[in-house]
Amino acid sequence: INRKVMAGIMTRNPDTAALSFAGGLLQKHEIRNVRVENDYSSGDSILEKMLYIIKEYQSDRLPDVCKFNLEVRDFYELEIVLNFIKENKLAGFEELMLERLSKHNVPYDIYNLTESLLSYKNPGLQNRTIKILKMHPSNWKTGNWANKFKELFEEYKIEM
């Protein structure tokens, strides 16, 4: 992805850009940046901008885009999708997050999924999240992640 070209498209034809972005984000492929003129920005920031353009100009496709990307993205890209859902108060993704959490994930993804689920401050959802975490503590109770989860649990007053 060339950031400068993307910025131009988003400015000149945001509705066309949104249609293209929605189609592209409904395919499983890595989002890669093309370095132009020493622009070392990450693809992560592009993903966030793409989601906001879709929200504004193709809002009817946004739930499908978010759902698909919750299923296929990892690491920073998953974190961006989760943060987008949270910041925009999008509803209806909790079950999918729980399903994703119950699968094998790296600690970084487990942390971001857990944090997103706990942010709903829904006791039933919180209990289901904790139940999943208790089933496989070795997946997240490792290295520095044990402390990160401890801090997260303290923030939400959760005893593990």
Side-chain angles (χ1 to χ4, degrees):
I1 295 173
N2 180 318
R3 282 178 38 106
K4 291 184 180 186
V5 170
M6 295 278 291
I9 292 169
M10 289 187 289
T11 302
R12 287 189 308 275
N13 291 322
D15 51 341
T16 302
L19 184 62
S20 176
F21 296 162
L25 289 177
L26 288 170
Q27 299 176 29
K28 186 177 180 178
H29 54 78
E30 186 178 344
I31 299 172
R32 285 184 267 156
N33 243 6
V34 174
R35 186 177 63 87
V36 178
E37 298 173 10
N38 297 323
D39 181 1
Y40 291 95
S41 303
S42 71
D44 303 336
S45 60
I46 292 292
L47 176 57
E48 183 177 20
K49 289 176 179 154
M50 291 168 83
L51 290 169
Y52 276 102
I53 289 288
I54 294 167
K55 177 185 174 195
E56 179 138 355
Y57 295 94
Q58 288 284 311
S59 60
D60 59 321
R61 297 187 74 188
L62 187 62
D64 290 336
V65 169
C66 289
K67 179 182 183 289
F68 182 80
N69 284 275
L70 274 174
E71 293 171 346
V72 302
R73 301 290 171 206
D74 295 310
F75 301 108
Y76 297 116
E77 291 175 351
L78 176 61
E79 180 182 13
I80 287 169
V81 173
L82 290 167
N83 286 336
F84 179 83
I85 289 169
K86 186 171 32 172
E87 290 168 9
N88 290 280
K89 297 178 178 30
L90 302 178
F93 297 100
E94 301 88 347
E95 290 301 320
L96 185 57
M97 288 181 203
L98 285 167
E99 183 180 319
R100 173 73 190 261
L101 182 63
S102 68
K103 296 178 181 174
H104 181 74
N105 293 286
V106 297
Y108 186 82
D109 291 347
I110 295 169
Y111 180 85
N112 285 309
L113 286 160
T114 301
E115 195 279 328
S116 293
L117 286 161
L118 295 178
S119 73
Y120 285 97
K121 297 182 180 173
N122 175 315
L125 191 58
Q126 186 178 66
N127 290 338
R128 292 171 66 196
T129 301
I130 298 309
K131 183 178 178 181
I132 291 169
L133 291 174
K134 284 182 175 180
M135 289 172 31
H136 303 288
S138 61
N139 290 345
W140 56 271
K141 260 188 177 178
T142 178
N144 294 336
W145 287 107
N147 287 333
K148 292 290 288 179
F149 276 94
K150 181 181 177 196
E151 291 170 8
L152 183 63
F153 297 149
E154 287 173 359
E155 178 183 343
Y156 287 96
K157 297 173 180 42
I158 297 169
E159 305 241 351
M160 286 292 278

